[in-house]
Amino acid sequence: MSTLRTINELIAGSVGGAAQVLVGQPLDTVKTRAQIAPKGMFKGPMDILMQTIRKEGFFALYKGMASPLLGVAGVNSLLFAAYGASKRIISPFPLSLPEIALAGSMAGAVNAVLASPVEMFKVRMQGQYGAESDKRLRVIAREMWLEWGFRKGVMRGYWVTVAKEIPAYAGFYSAYEFSKRKFAAKYGEQNIPVWALLASGSTGGLAYWLACYPLDVVKSRIQLRETPPTGTPVQYIARELGAVVAEGGLAGLFRGLTPSLLRSIPAAASTFAAYELTREWLVKTTGI
């Protein structure tokens, strides 16, 4: 029974993840470019959006989508399955919000295993600005593997991804559950409207970015660099944080936050709505 429940969570997570990528990719591209672009290249998020469309065409906003879309089944399936398993490990009874946050942080740590390479390839695709020398995803993947290998190439930025995902998903799931429980108290657990699931997902998405954004800036910069970081994870994360502050002050740690928050509303809403609706259908179909 537990195996079938996990399979249902894997399937529903895949559907939710695909919805997230399709809805949120354009603003994710704006966010990443705000984080990694050379100083003075863009005036702000709107300038990034307009320059990208004008110079590279509208579909450049979906640059790097192949990586998360190809990997989204694994990443989101792992996330939702790990979250479900974490909840069962913590307690067989309904969890409190602090316990939900703990389960979310556990799921985030597990999720980093797949999220790190998916993010790394996406960031390196988004860090190209329409020049003739721009590379396709398969070329970038081959070069990273051949030049740096698995740990320093494909998994570059893994430890900062772990550091980011733990607080991010603690905030994500606890905010989502808080909002969902408020709606459940009003409408009943089985009668929560779709718009309420969308609103709860949006709340979770906002909490996700507010909990981890400076570390996401560090992650993007590390993953884009020509060479891998040196030293221990604590050392190179601290070093990169210092470099960001030196270049742009404390505000540099939040470059691209606005498009991230704007993206999180439709992206997280669609993720959870798609997940919950798919999960509900699977429960009715399988009985578990």
Side-chain angles (χ1 to χ4, degrees):
M1 183 177 292
S2 61
T3 300
L4 185 55
R5 184 183 293 116
T6 300
I7 292 173
N8 288 349
E9 288 165 348
L10 289 169
I11 295 171
S14 297
V15 176
Q20 173 187 333
V21 174
L22 292 171
V23 171
Q25 185 66 18
L27 283 173
D28 185 78
T29 298
V30 174
K31 178 268 294 183
T32 301
R33 289 188 168 187
Q35 293 175 339
I36 64 177
K39 190 175 181 180
M41 185 173 184
F42 299 111
K43 298 176 182 178
M46 186 56 68
D47 187 45
I48 295 173
L49 178 67
M50 298 310 296
Q51 282 202 48
T52 299
I53 294 174
R54 185 169 64 251
K55 295 179 180 178
E56 303 171 57
F58 175 79
F59 288 104
L61 294 172
Y62 287 88
K63 186 174 289 186
M65 188 176 75
S67 175
L69 198 56
L70 290 172
V72 75
V75 170
N76 284 275
S77 293
L78 179 61
L79 173 65
F80 282 103
Y83 176 61
S86 297
K87 289 196 295 182
R88 292 190 286 273
I89 289 171
I90 292 170
S91 175
F93 305 105
L95 271 59
S96 66
L97 287 177
E99 289 173 328
I100 288 289
L102 176 59
S105 67
M106 292 166 63
V110 173
N111 185 59
V113 174
L114 291 182
S116 181
V118 168
E119 281 286 305
M120 190 276 295
F121 290 124
K122 176 180 69 68
V123 166
R124 295 185 80 86
M125 288 292 294
Q126 291 171 327
Q128 301 180 125
Y129 300 97
E132 290 185 5
S133 59
D134 282 3
K135 302 170 183 176
R136 293 183 179 275
L137 175 60
R138 64 175 180 270
V139 175
I140 291 175
R142 185 173 64 249
E143 289 181 352
M144 292 297 287
W145 173 263
L146 293 176
E147 187 169 357
W148 299 109
F150 181 73
R151 186 171 64 87
K152 294 184 177 182
V154 175
M155 295 298 289
R156 183 176 301 177
Y158 170 70
W159 286 111
V160 68
T161 303
V162 173
K164 168 206 162 193
E165 298 284 76
I166 289 174
Y169 281 108
F172 184 71
Y173 279 111
S174 57
Y176 171 73
E177 285 291 339
F178 174 80
S179 178
K180 184 183 173 185
R181 289 178 185 185
K182 290 294 185 181
F183 286 119
K186 182 175 182 179
Y187 296 102
E189 185 68 34
Q190 303 302 319
N191 299 305
I192 301 176
V194 173
W195 68 263
L197 291 176
L198 294 170
S200 298
S202 298
T203 302
L206 291 171
Y208 174 98
W209 286 115
L210 292 174
C212 74
Y213 197 78
L215 286 170
D216 190 68
V217 174
V218 170
K219 176 196 69 66
S220 296
R221 287 168 58 104
I222 286 174
Q223 291 176 329
L224 187 68
R225 289 194 180 283
E226 288 298 319
T227 58
T230 57
T232 67
V234 172
Q235 288 174 333
Y236 66 70
I237 290 172
R239 188 163 58 242
E240 198 66 39
L241 282 168
V244 173
V245 172
E247 292 170 15
L250 290 176
L253 295 173
F254 298 93
R255 286 177 61 185
L257 178 60
T258 298
S260 294
L261 295 177
L262 291 175
R263 168 187 176 270
S264 71
I265 295 173
S270 61
T271 299
F272 267 108
Y275 172 80
E276 293 283 3
L277 294 173
T278 304
R279 182 77 179 89
E280 182 180 331
W281 180 80
L282 289 169
V283 168
K284 290 179 180 178
T285 302
T286 64
I288 298 176

